[in-house]
Amino acid sequence: MNIFLWILQTLLALHTIMGAVWKFSHTAEQTMPSLKAIPQPAWFALAGVELLCAVCLILPAVYKPAAVLAPLAAIGIALTMLLFCVMELLSGNANMSSIIYWLVVVGVCTSIAYGRLVLRPFA
């Protein structure tokens, strides 16, 4: 189980890094028209938070006392994805494939948080 959680954390960290790089090079509206309500400074701040979360997912591999950060980072990423889902639904022109994608990421985040907090606490 521990190896599986590390694989999920690594994949989620890579996914999150790619999303952060995308945010630095594209506006919210270029990404998804439904996200145009997010101002550019907030979009960049979100990219910075995503980079921090990605580091927190991997940091426990080299520094064990930081193990509590991995489930917190996963929860933070899940909340961001849920925010995107809500914004997409409120846009009035919901793209279900985007919502499903974000919900799959939420599922991965939830698995990591549950695994690290309940099944294998801070391993």
Side-chain angles (χ1 to χ4, degrees):
M1 179 55 105
N2 194 38
I3 294 172
F4 177 69
L5 288 172
W6 276 114
I7 290 170
L8 281 181
Q9 282 174 234
T10 303
L11 291 174
L12 182 60
L14 291 172
H15 171 271
T16 305
I17 289 168
M18 288 188 301
V21 169
W22 178 269
K23 285 173 182 63
F24 282 126
S25 60
H26 295 81
T27 65
E29 188 171 7
Q30 287 173 327
T31 301
M32 291 283 299
S34 61
L35 301 179
K36 67 183 174 191
I38 301 173
Q40 194 64 21
W43 189 246
F44 286 147
L46 184 59
V49 169
E50 286 182 352
L51 288 175
L52 181 64
C53 286
V55 169
C56 290
L57 285 168
I58 302 302
L59 186 62
V62 293
Y63 184 64
K64 292 288 184 199
V68 70
L69 296 177
L72 295 176
I75 291 168
I77 295 167
L79 291 174
T80 303
M81 296 297 117
L82 289 173
L83 173 69
F84 289 166
C85 288
V86 169
M87 291 183 74
E88 183 70 22
L89 288 170
L90 293 177
S91 73
N93 193 13
N95 181 348
M96 289 310 290
S97 62
S98 296
I99 292 172
I100 291 169
Y101 169 77
W102 289 324
L103 290 176
V104 168
V105 176
V106 168
V108 171
C109 293
T110 304
S111 299
I112 291 169
Y114 180 76
R116 290 298 178 203
L117 291 172
V118 177
L119 300 179
R120 297 281 306 192
F122 313 117

